[in-house]
Amino acid sequence: MKSALIILFSLFCAVNTSAQEAAVSKIILVRQAEKATDDPRDPSLSEKGKQRAVLLAGLLKDVPVDAFYATPYKRTTETISVLAKANGKETSKYNPMDKKGISALVQAGKGKTIIIAGHSNTIPPLVNSLIGKQEYPLMDDNDYGKIWILVFKGDELV
């Protein structure tokens, strides 16, 4: 998993430096890290999930992020909060079922880098919607290791 993340990160940086003239938008999508069993309706991250959140922040520490979005659950906010704090930012809430709201936050992120944290059943459909094809199935409940980095030049996926 670590080598795959490094490759994705390297590709992200290569595209970032090559597109100087056109507005380049970057959308980084992550599933929330492992959750605890403290509250069945709105659990926090488990210790393993907190460690994963720290690893995510370390992986993306050199990427300047303009905005952070999480669903209105503790586990999604906690997954990206370490990185958001390192960037001096707050995390905004979004409703993963509100397509117009998601479209508005993506439009507001044009020319910027944003991170969106969601769930095993919301992130893959969002990625599919953004890339315009049904490529990614819903994630297994035990799959916490995927990160999608989508780079757009204007409205085109690069």
Side-chain angles (χ1 to χ4, degrees), residues 61-154:
K61 69 180 166 81
D62 294 326
V63 178
V65 179
D66 299 294
F68 294 83
Y69 299 97
T71 63
Y73 295 95
K74 289 187 264 189
R75 61 192 178 271
T76 54
T77 302
E78 291 171 0
T79 298
I80 60 174
S81 66
V82 176
L83 184 58
K85 287 177 186 171
N87 277 267
K89 307 282 184 187
E90 296 290 323
T91 300
S92 299
K93 303 291 186 222
Y94 78 98
N95 178 347
M97 301 305 147
D98 178 5
K99 293 183 186 216
K100 287 183 182 180
I102 292 171
S103 179
L105 74 88
V106 168
Q107 288 299 317
K110 285 203 177 231
K112 299 177 181 176
T113 299
I114 64 173
I115 293 183
I116 301 174
H119 308 273
S120 62
N121 65 340
T122 63
I123 289 297
L126 180 52
V127 172
N128 290 336
S129 175
L130 291 168
I131 66 173
K133 57 184 173 180
Q134 294 299 312
E135 189 166 328
Y136 300 101
L138 297 181
M139 299 172 75
D140 182 89
D141 280 345
N142 296 314
D143 187 355
Y144 297 96
K146 289 189 175 84
I147 297 175
W148 286 269
I149 300 174
L150 306 180
V151 180
F152 294 88
K153 187 173 182 182

Side-chain angles (χ1 to χ4, degrees), residues 12-24:
F12 173 75
C13 291
V15 172
N16 185 35
T17 57
S18 67
Q20 296 174 4
E21 293 179 23
V24 175

